[in-house]
């Protein structure tokens, strides 16, 4: 049977026509495959990724998407905002990473009160609901967050990471749910901080309802994230180090590190198989914690070698798909037709100058004919303006007849701050925070000044983190947005020290910012065991005046063992210096280093000495009530409170009693001192001077001028120089053998020392002392040992003796 041949229906011809048209359209818009880059985590080992970036730059291979975890996320973010591999290498080589991974700002930039508190205690805990809490990690991340903010400054206003020069993602893990979080929106510096928040090392990052930590826990090589962004081909770079041998696993830290490494390696193996091209950098004897400058450079050099091993594979990929980034300098009439239209112009990184104004300056517009010479001329005009630190142009064919021009900018911001907004504060008011910040609307934006003031605000001790971002509010005008995370209002600090005078002394300090008067600071410290002392001070810092002013209330009770020495230099008496003091006063600060206080106080004294029976000495039981005025001033420019290498410290105090009000003892006491430190490489020099004078009437008092000990005068016992007047000159030299170990030599002289109360009829004496010592900077504070020589008797010089000083811990 012969079948009848059917003619195609009209529907068939319509479908065929549509398909043919689609094929023609596809041929016109067919573009190269999209290239993605995935960078693994690995702590300091992540600096090896810079080698891969430098190779991609040299081969001119375009990257359309990038994702990273932990340090891979940090390096990837820098690349995504327009830094080249060479520029990222320069950043990595110049940055002090060891310093950056500490929280406290340099002592020189701390507010005055925080300078006095810095490094006084070994342990600190927050208090919430009468229970101790810590910050969730050893490092809160303040410095590294400010650093990342500085690096991505032109993109602080970007909320969508697809709007970066290269669309970007970084990986974190939500502690509250245990799930992976791919960060593609929000604050870029905060996202960078979250992806590297290694649990227990860095405190977690608040992100909406989530609490984020390092993404390496679940996805250490985010190939899948790059594919989800749209990548057709994924280049992955990963870093790893070999397992430690049995002999190398010596400590608990080694075992813990190896345990994490096993988990990490297994994850890397499975994730790396998803990539199309893998750059595998093996780092022998280098670890995630190797952030010192020399090892960072070794890691980068290893990364460069690992990347070069894949040069042939990357070159083949480039040739197969004819890959090029299309920089105007490389694009010629041979590969872009003369009649090509500009279909799209993308400008990223401009903060205060609108995109329309930039296009006008460049002389380009969508829908016009592309001319590479005109674009080059326009770029020269844009550079000549001086408003941009970096300009990254790129031109790429979109169809057979259209091109896209992309322009990445890093603007040198000279905008005016029109408004300042505070976010995240729950306890402290906006007004208090802004007054403490010291920046006001109308100022010209200065990144250096903003960081300085943020460090000052952070140093006040109210906040876990203080960060900022900007938001354009018209041409050449921005809003400054300050985001704070407050500490718990209360914190508890614990300290321990030992010396061969008071032996073991423990301290417990409670500090709070009152919820009744926001910003009111209350500090209560108790010291016990080797001595008993309680200090209470409350103050309210304010900037309502041009100079920061603060009223305060002060209460002190002490029971401090003290020794009395005979004319021959023997200990002949001891007593408990027991007194209670209550004071009201005010003070003000100039900048963050000069403090002046005036205080009216009442002091009650009760002393009963224990005198050696065979030593006749003029020392009575003594009870007194004293009303006095106390003036003090300090200039503190030291870089470190306990082991200064540079700076100046000047201290002055004056006490005057009111004989019309007080009983028995009335006196004046003046103390002046100055210290100057200068370092040249490993050598540190100190020159210091002191003058003290005490004028007493109406009986005996213990309010002498006291010196003696490793901090004040070597060669005599602690507090042996109890005098009515003295002038001291001192010189110290220290040599730093290692970063945490130094040796020192000391020489001092006391001119005109006298004490007409304990040694009546004895004239003024000149005393000499000298010593040598060693100091070790331990994790729990400095440990120092000094052997000195000096006069046994401060009243009858001539007979020499040796005096040993030993101290361990902080000087709270």
């Amino acid at each position: 049977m012969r079948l009848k041949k059917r003619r195609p229906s009209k529907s068939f011809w319509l479908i065929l026509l549509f398909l043919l048209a689609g094929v023609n359209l596809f041929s016109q818009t067919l573009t190269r495959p999209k290239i993605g880059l995935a960078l693994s985590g690995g702590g300091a080992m992540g600096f090896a990724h810079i080698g891969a970036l430098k190779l991609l730059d040299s081969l001119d291979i375009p990257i359309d998407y990038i994702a990273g975890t932990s340090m891979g996320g940090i390096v990837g973010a820098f690349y995504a905002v327009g830094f080249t591999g060479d520029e990222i290498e320069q950043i990595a080589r110049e940055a002090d990473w060891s310093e950056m991974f500490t929280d406290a700002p340099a002592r020189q930039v701390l507010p005055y009160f925080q300078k006095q508190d810095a490094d006084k205690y070994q342990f600190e805990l927050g208090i919430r609901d009468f229970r101790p809490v810590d910050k969730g990690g050893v490092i809160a991340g303040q410095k590294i967050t400010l650093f990342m903010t500085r690096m991505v400054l032109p993109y602080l206003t970007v909320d969508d990471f697809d709007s970066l020069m290269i669309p970007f993602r970084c990986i974190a893990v939500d502690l509250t749910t245990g799930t992976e979080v791919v960060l593609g929106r929000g604050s870029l510096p905060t996202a960078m901080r979250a992806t590297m928040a290694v649990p227990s090392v860095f405190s977690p990052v608040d992100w909406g309802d989530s609490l984020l930590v390092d993404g390496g826990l679940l996805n250490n090589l985010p190939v899948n994230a790059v594919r989800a962004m749209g990548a057709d081909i994924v280049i992955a770079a990963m870093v790893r180090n070999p397992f430690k041998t049995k002999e190398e696993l010596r400590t608990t830290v080694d075992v813990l590190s190896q345990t994490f490494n096993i988990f990490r390696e297994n994850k890397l193996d499975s994730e790396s198989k998803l990539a199309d091209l893998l750059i595998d950098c093996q780092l022998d004897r280098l670890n995630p914690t190797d952030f010192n400058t020399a090892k960072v450079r070794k890691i980068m050099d290893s990364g460069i070698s690992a990347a070069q091993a894949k040069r042939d594979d990357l070159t083949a990929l480039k040739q197969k798909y004819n890959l090029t980034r299309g920089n105007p300098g490389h694009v010629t009439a041979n590969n872009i037709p003369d009649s090509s239209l500009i279909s799209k112009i993308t400008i990223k990184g401009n903060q205060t100058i609108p995109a329309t104004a930039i296009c006008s300056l460049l002389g380009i517009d969508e829908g016009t004919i592309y001319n590479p010479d005109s674009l080059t001329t326009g770029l020269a005009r844009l550079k000549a303006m001086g408003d941009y630190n970096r300009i990254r142009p790129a031109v790429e064919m979109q169809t057979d007849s259209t091109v896209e021009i992309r322009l990445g900018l890093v603007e040198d911001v000279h905008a005016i701050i029109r408004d300042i907004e505070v976010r995240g504060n729950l306890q402290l008011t906006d007004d208090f925070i802004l007054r403490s910040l010291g920046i006001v609307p109308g100022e010209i934006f200065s990144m250096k000044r903003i960081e300085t003031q943020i460090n000052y605000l952070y140093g006040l001790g109210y906040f876990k983190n203080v960060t900022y971002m900007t938001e354009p509010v018209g041409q050449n005008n921005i809003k400054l947005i300050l985001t704070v995370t407050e500490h718990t209002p209360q914190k508890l600090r614990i300290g321990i020290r030992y010396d061969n005078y008071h032996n073991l002394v423990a301290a417990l300090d409670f500090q709070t910012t009152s919820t009744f008067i926001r910003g009111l600071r209350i500090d209560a410290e108790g010291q016990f065991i080797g001595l008993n002392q309680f200090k209470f001070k409350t103050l309210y810092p304010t900037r309502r005046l041009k100079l920061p002013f603060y009223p305060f209330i002060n209460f002190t009770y002490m029971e401090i063992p003290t020794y009395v020495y005979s004319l021959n230099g023997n200990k002949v008496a001891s007593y408990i210096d027991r007194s209670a003091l209550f004071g009201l006063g005010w003070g003000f600060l100039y900048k963050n280093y000069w403090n002046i206080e005036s205080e009216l106080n009442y002091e009650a004294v009760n002393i009963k000495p224990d005198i050696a029976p065979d030593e006749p000495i003029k020392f009575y039981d003594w009870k007194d009530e004293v009303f006095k005025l106390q003036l003090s001033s300090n200039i503190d420019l030291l870089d470190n409170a306990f082991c200064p290498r540079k700076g100046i410290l000047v201290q002055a105090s004056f006490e005057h009693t009111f004989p019309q009000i007080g009983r028995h003892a009335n006196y004046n006491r003046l103390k002046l001192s100055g210290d100057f430190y200068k370092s040249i490489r490993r050598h540190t020099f100190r020159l210091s001077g002191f003058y003290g004078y005490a004028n007493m009437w109406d009986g005996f008092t213990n309010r002498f001028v006291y010196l003696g000990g490793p901090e004040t005068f070597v060669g005599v016992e602690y507090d042996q120089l109890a005098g009515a007047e003295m002038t001291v000159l001192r010189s110290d030299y220290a040599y730093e053998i290692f970063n945490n170990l130094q040796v020192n030599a000391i020489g001092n002289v006391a001119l005109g020392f006298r004490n007409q109360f304990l040694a009546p009829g004895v004239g003024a004496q000149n005393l000499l002392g000298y010593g040598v010592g060693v100091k070790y900077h331990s994790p729990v504070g400095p440990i120092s040992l000094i052997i000195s020589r000096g006069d046994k008797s401060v009243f009858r010089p001539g007979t020499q003796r040796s005096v040993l000083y030993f101290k361990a811990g902080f000087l709270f």
Side-chain angles (χ1 to χ4, degrees):
M1 179 177 173
R2 188 175 181 180
L3 297 176
K4 185 178 179 180
K5 189 174 182 179
R6 296 183 59 186
R7 296 180 61 186
S9 66
K10 292 182 179 181
S11 299
F12 172 81
W13 292 112
L14 288 172
I15 292 172
L16 180 61
L17 182 63
F18 177 80
L19 290 173
L20 291 173
V23 169
N24 184 54
L25 178 64
F26 181 75
S27 66
Q28 292 177 351
T29 61
L30 182 64
T31 59
R32 62 167 178 80
K34 297 295 184 181
I35 310 298
L37 178 65
L39 303 176
S40 78
M45 298 190 302
F47 289 116
H49 295 319
I50 293 172
L53 301 182
K54 292 180 66 174
L55 181 58
L56 292 170
D57 288 343
S58 67
L59 294 175
D60 203 31
I61 294 176
I63 298 298
D64 301 287
Y65 309 103
I66 187 167
T69 297
S70 193
M71 186 56 75
I74 306 302
V75 173
F78 286 171
Y79 202 61
V81 301
F83 287 106
T84 65
D86 285 334
E87 289 169 339
I88 299 173
E89 180 182 25
Q90 183 178 359
I91 292 169
R93 288 183 183 275
E94 293 178 354
D96 186 348
W97 296 98
S98 298
E99 170 66 18
M100 204 172 298
F101 290 128
T102 60
D103 288 327
R107 190 175 187 273
Q108 295 97 316
V109 302
L110 282 175
Y112 179 80
F113 297 117
Q114 273 53 53
K115 283 186 180 182
Q116 313 315 307
D117 271 354
D119 297 325
K120 286 180 64 176
Y121 307 94
Q122 285 94 342
F123 309 102
E124 179 177 317
L125 292 171
I127 302 294
R128 181 185 295 124
D129 299 328
F130 301 101
R131 293 183 299 175
V133 295
D134 62 21
K135 57 189 178 184
V138 177
I139 304 169
Q142 174 68 14
K143 284 186 181 179
I144 189 67
T145 303
L146 282 182
F147 169 76
M148 292 185 293
T149 301
R150 188 187 319 137
M151 293 295 101
V152 302
L153 180 65
Y155 295 91
L156 295 186
T157 59
V158 171
D159 182 67
D160 183 353
F161 299 168
D162 285 341
S163 299
L164 302 177
M165 290 186 66
I166 301 174
F168 171 71
R169 301 288 185 273
C170 59
I171 312 302
V173 172
D174 186 355
L175 271 183
T176 64
T177 62
T179 57
E180 177 183 332
V181 179
V182 180
L183 300 175
R185 301 186 65 88
S187 165
L188 180 58
T190 306
M192 295 165 67
R193 166 70 178 82
T195 192
M196 61 172 291
V198 179
S200 300
V201 177
F202 286 94
S203 57
V205 174
D206 288 313
W207 188 278
D209 295 330
S210 301
L211 199 61
L212 302 184
V213 295
D214 192 325
L217 292 175
L218 295 179
N219 188 354
N220 205 36
L221 185 64
V223 175
N224 57 348
V226 182
R227 291 220 186 268
M229 294 171 74
D232 302 305
I233 296 174
V234 176
I235 301 169
M238 71 176 184
V239 292
R240 60 174 77 189
N241 54 359
F243 294 136
K244 290 182 172 67
T245 64
K246 181 179 179 180
E247 290 73 22
E248 292 173 325
L249 293 171
R250 300 177 180 178
T251 68
T252 302
V253 174
D254 291 336
V255 173
L256 187 62
S257 174
Q258 184 91 321
T259 303
F260 280 112
N261 204 20
I262 293 171
F263 174 77
R264 182 175 173 275
E265 285 292 314
N266 289 335
K267 293 287 291 182
L268 278 175
D269 285 339
S270 60
E271 291 157 355
S272 63
K273 292 175 182 177
L274 303 176
D276 298 289
L277 191 152
L278 179 66
I279 299 174
D280 187 357
C281 182
Q282 297 279 349
L283 295 167
D284 188 23
R285 300 187 182 280
L286 293 167
N287 298 294
T289 58
D290 289 334
F291 280 99
N292 70 70
T293 302
K295 290 189 176 180
V296 166
R297 291 175 178 175
K298 287 183 180 180
I299 290 170
M300 288 190 293
D301 291 341
S302 298
I304 291 171
S305 299
Q308 289 297 327
K310 292 291 183 178
R311 173 179 279 274
D312 290 344
D313 293 341
L314 286 167
T315 301
L317 181 68
K318 174 183 174 66
Q319 293 173 347
K320 179 178 180 180
Y321 295 105
N322 192 28
L323 300 177
T324 180
R325 296 187 181 181
N327 294 325
H330 301 130
V331 177
T332 66
N334 293 330
N335 53 30
I336 293 185
D338 293 338
S339 59
S340 297
L341 292 177
I342 301 173
S343 62
K344 186 177 181 182
I345 300 173
T346 303
I347 298 177
K348 299 178 180 180
N350 53 313
Q351 291 232 60
T352 60
I353 302 177
T356 53
I358 295 173
C359 288
S360 177
L361 188 67
L362 291 173
I364 60 175
D365 201 0
E366 293 182 0
T368 62
I369 299 296
Y370 168 69
N371 185 320
D373 294 333
S374 297
L375 179 58
T376 301
T377 302
L379 289 171
R381 286 196 299 268
L382 190 63
K383 292 177 182 178
M385 289 179 61
D387 291 326
Y388 297 97
N389 294 325
R390 187 167 70 244
I391 299 175
R392 294 279 189 265
V395 181
E396 187 170 351
M397 296 292 298
Q398 295 300 298
T399 69
D400 292 341
S401 59
T402 62
V403 298
E404 177 186 358
I405 297 177
R406 297 188 298 273
L407 194 63
L409 305 170
V410 174
E411 187 173 332
D412 187 10
V413 181
H414 297 291
I416 296 173
I417 301 173
R418 286 300 175 197
D419 188 24
I420 305 176
E421 180 184 345
V422 180
R423 298 177 180 175
N425 51 315
L426 301 175
Q427 299 291 332
L428 299 171
T429 64
D430 289 4
D431 180 63
F432 178 83
I433 293 173
L434 291 176
R435 282 190 284 108
S436 300
L437 180 68
I439 295 176
V440 297
E443 289 191 30
I444 301 295
F445 177 89
S446 166
M447 182 172 65
K448 182 178 180 180
R449 170 162 163 74
I450 287 173
E451 285 196 11
T452 297
Q453 295 307 112
I454 282 180
N455 280 330
Y456 178 90
L457 184 63
Y458 176 76
L460 290 174
Y462 295 120
F463 307 103
K464 293 180 183 177
N465 290 104
V466 182
T467 59
Y468 74 97
M469 61 183 297
T470 61
E471 184 178 288
V473 288
Q475 186 169 351
N476 211 39
N477 291 273
I478 60 172
K479 175 195 282 188
L480 179 65
I481 300 171
L482 199 69
T483 302
V484 301
T485 304
E486 294 174 330
H487 272 306
T488 54
Q490 297 85 31
K491 61 183 177 182
L492 184 68
R493 299 181 294 181
I494 303 171
I496 298 175
R497 76 165 188 261
Y498 179 87
D499 60 55
N500 57 336
Y501 185 37
H502 293 124
N503 299 319
L504 183 67
V505 180
L508 192 65
D509 179 80
F510 177 77
Q511 192 175 95
T512 179
T513 53
S514 175
T515 56
F516 301 104
I517 302 176
R518 303 294 171 84
L520 180 71
R521 297 176 64 89
I522 299 174
D523 195 303
E525 180 194 68
Q527 299 181 21
F528 45 92
I529 303 180
L531 55 84
N532 293 314
Q533 188 168 222
F534 176 76
K535 300 177 183 178
F536 173 90
K537 189 170 187 176
T538 180
L539 60 90
Y540 182 75
T542 177
R543 281 183 176 267
R544 294 195 182 277
L545 304 177
K546 289 185 178 180
L547 292 175
F549 169 85
Y550 58 94
F552 65 87
I553 298 173
N554 183 35
F555 173 76
T556 302
Y557 176 80
M558 65 180 186
E559 294 180 351
I560 300 178
T562 305
Y563 294 100
V564 180
Y565 296 84
S566 71
L567 297 180
N568 296 321
N570 299 316
K571 291 180 181 177
V572 295
S574 66
Y575 64 93
I576 302 296
D577 187 352
R578 183 183 295 108
S579 66
L581 180 146
F582 175 80
L584 297 171
W586 58 268
F588 67 86
L589 305 172
Y590 177 73
K591 295 188 176 179
N592 69 325
Y593 58 81
W594 190 358
N595 149 271
I596 297 176
E597 286 188 355
S598 175
E599 180 180 358
L600 289 171
N601 55 44
Y602 162 80
E603 183 177 16
V605 181
N606 184 1
I607 290 176
K608 182 177 178 61
D610 180 13
I611 303 174
D614 57 345
E615 290 282 352
I617 189 168
K618 185 180 178 181
F619 203 100
Y620 309 110
D621 292 359
W622 180 41
K623 293 184 179 180
D624 246 322
E625 294 179 4
V626 179
F627 292 85
K628 60 183 176 179
L629 170 67
Q630 185 165 325
L631 303 174
S632 63
S633 181
N634 299 293
I635 298 174
D636 188 343
L637 291 167
L638 298 182
D639 64 332
N640 187 285
F642 308 109
C643 304
R645 288 183 53 81
K646 61 181 178 180
I648 297 172
L649 177 65
V650 178
Q651 297 177 304
S653 67
F654 175 73
E655 298 173 64
H656 171 72
T657 60
F658 297 101
Q660 300 87 352
I661 304 176
R663 283 189 328 180
H664 299 132
N666 297 297
Y667 65 92
N668 291 333
R669 181 165 58 178
L670 172 68
K671 292 189 289 186
L672 300 170
S673 67
D675 294 86
F676 172 76
Y677 292 86
K678 176 69 177 178
S679 290
I680 302 174
R681 297 182 180 175
R682 293 181 176 268
H683 309 273
T684 301
F685 304 90
R686 172 196 180 192
L687 295 175
S688 62
F690 172 87
Y691 174 76
Y693 174 79
N695 192 2
M696 309 174 199
W697 307 278
D698 300 331
F700 177 78
T701 176
N702 73 324
R703 295 306 181 239
F704 303 121
V705 176
Y706 284 91
L707 292 184
E711 282 80 35
T712 58
F713 193 96
V714 299
V716 299
E717 297 284 357
Y718 289 89
D719 293 340
Q720 188 177 353
L721 268 69
E725 185 174 15
M726 67 186 81
T727 300
V728 173
L729 300 176
R730 172 168 168 157
S731 177
D732 293 55
Y733 165 75
Y735 177 75
E736 189 178 80
I737 301 175
F738 303 110
N739 289 336
N740 59 351
L741 181 66
Q742 67 180 34
V743 293
N744 52 358
I746 307 161
N748 46 222
V749 58
L751 304 174
F753 170 77
R754 64 184 180 87
N755 187 324
Q756 71 270 34
F757 299 101
L758 293 180
V762 176
Q765 305 293 329
N766 294 331
L767 306 169
L768 180 66
Y770 54 92
V772 294
V774 61
K775 180 178 287 187
Y776 172 67
H777 303 270
S778 77
V780 294
I783 300 173
S784 66
L785 177 67
I786 295 175
I787 301 174
S788 67
R789 292 282 291 176
D791 293 299
K792 179 179 179 181
S793 171
V794 298
F795 304 112
R796 295 171 179 171
T799 302
Q800 296 278 303
R801 70 172 168 188
S802 298
V803 181
L804 177 72
Y805 310 106
F806 176 77
K807 289 201 168 192
F810 296 126
L811 302 179
F812 45 78

